[in-house]
Amino acid sequence: MHRTFIPGTAAPEVQSSPAWWFAFLGNKLLVQINGTHTIIPHLINLAAIGLVPVRTQFLGTLDGEPCYSAELPQETAIPENMAVRGLRELYGALGEELYGVSSRAIQIMEWDRTHQYCGCCGTPTTQLPTERVKRCPKCSLTNYPRLSPAVIVLISRGDEVLLARAHRFPSNMYSVLAGFVEPGESLEETVAREVREEVGIEIKDIHYFGSQPWPFPNSLMIGFTATYVSGEIVVQPEELTDAAWFHKRNLPPVPSKPSIARKLIDWFVTTP
């Protein structure tokens, strides 16, 4: 069943009905473990399970029910039948809608935590009631939640796709290429530069595919497809351990659903 999330900044005046609580201890999310199910706490407040957050942020509503992010103190004792898990571990375990709100929650929680003071003059900031922004009352510097755009691109050559292994990948896993946008670049310029830098080839026909929030820690992945033009693969060792062409019917292990990398690969495999 599809759930509808509506972002917002104005919390209910009184929180008298259950809400979704996306509470983080560091960068790990508090979840309830119920057999094989992983559940986001659904409570009137965190005090119901004996927790007192450092600060909270109203996120919006999920099917009309309020959603909050919360920063937990470092000394927090985890309640019985609950655990804290990294979002990478929870990928695919929460369902697309709850995972999407979790991704939003950690970024807003981290922005809230790191912008308590003005980065220009050190004055305590205030948060505007109608916008997701913190403003310095002394020098008027404003700070919105940070977003770091990155491109991700599937490069095809007939029935072959270029896949690569980054140093951080699990054993034997390959994926499509990705990289961050630099100041002054268009997205298409970033795609061509990253491909040239990481594997030394030239591409053409760069087309937009789709996008996905990626909270590691605050990226927006913007997907593209492209086709090979020329050049031999020369791997940039600082970024990759290997890169190669793979036939669409004989792929190595690839990222799991519902990552945009997997969506790109699945699209390529199923396209005639």
Side-chain angles (χ1 to χ4, degrees):
M1 180 181 66
H2 180 73
R3 295 168 168 170
T4 301
F5 177 77
I6 300 175
T9 57
E13 292 186 9
V14 178
Q15 184 55 51
S16 57
S17 60
W20 297 100
W21 287 90
F22 300 83
F24 292 88
L25 183 59
N27 62 359
K28 294 190 174 183
L29 178 63
L30 180 73
V31 292
Q32 181 179 344
I33 307 300
N34 185 4
T36 59
H37 298 287
T38 303
I39 303 169
I40 299 294
H42 191 234
L43 313 158
I44 292 178
N45 53 48
L46 291 175
I49 52 174
L51 299 180
V52 180
V54 176
R55 55 183 64 90
T56 65
Q57 285 275 337
F58 177 70
L59 304 173
T61 60
L62 185 64
D63 279 355
E65 294 184 308
C67 300
Y68 294 87
S69 67
E71 177 190 347
L72 298 175
Q74 287 299 315
E75 65 276 11
T76 296
I78 304 304
E80 188 177 357
N81 298 324
M82 304 193 85
V84 288
R85 298 283 187 267
L87 289 188
R88 289 187 189 275
E89 298 175 66
L90 295 172
Y91 206 60
L94 295 176
E96 190 169 349
E97 291 86 8
L98 285 173
Y99 190 84
V101 183
S102 301
S103 300
R104 179 186 297 263
I106 192 172
Q107 294 180 73
I108 291 176
M109 180 276 298
E110 187 65 11
W111 164 76
D112 190 17
R113 184 184 72 82
T114 58
H115 288 80
Q116 293 294 303
Y117 297 90
C118 175
C120 182
C121 69
T123 302
T125 58
T126 57
Q127 187 165 334
L128 301 189
T130 57
E131 286 187 88
R132 190 81 65 193
V133 60
K134 291 182 182 287
R135 176 173 293 167
C136 175
K138 183 176 180 180
C139 71
S140 298
L141 180 71
T142 58
N143 281 285
Y144 294 86
R146 178 182 172 185
L147 194 63
S148 301
V151 298
I152 184 166
V153 56
L154 181 141
I155 304 162
S156 61
R157 186 177 68 177
D159 286 338
E160 294 180 314
V161 59
L162 180 67
L163 299 177
R165 272 188 49 74
H167 295 279
R168 68 182 184 279
F169 283 4
S171 179
N172 298 324
M173 193 187 86
Y174 282 72
S175 186
V176 293
L177 299 180
F180 285 101
V181 180
E182 293 186 355
E185 282 187 325
S186 70
L187 298 176
E188 292 80 3
E189 287 170 337
T190 303
V191 170
R193 174 184 57 77
E194 283 288 338
V195 171
R196 190 178 301 118
E197 289 178 354
E198 293 193 357
V199 293
I201 67 171
E202 298 298 324
I203 58 174
K204 65 178 181 179
D205 302 330
I206 300 171
H207 295 297
Y208 175 75
F209 177 84
S211 63
Q212 181 180 54
W214 195 248
F216 303 110
N218 47 30
S219 299
L220 173 66
M221 301 299 291
I222 306 159
F224 291 87
T225 61
T227 54
Y228 168 81
V229 173
S230 63
E232 298 296 327
I233 294 174
V234 179
V235 169
Q236 184 183 29
E238 296 82 8
E239 296 287 339
L240 304 173
T241 62
D242 187 33
W245 294 102
F246 294 89
H247 193 276
K248 64 166 60 179
R249 303 303 177 198
N250 187 28
L251 297 180
V254 295
S256 61
K257 298 179 179 182
S259 69
I260 191 170
R262 179 60 176 269
K263 290 177 180 178
L264 280 160
I265 293 168
D266 287 348
W267 167 83
F268 177 70
V269 168
T270 57
T271 299

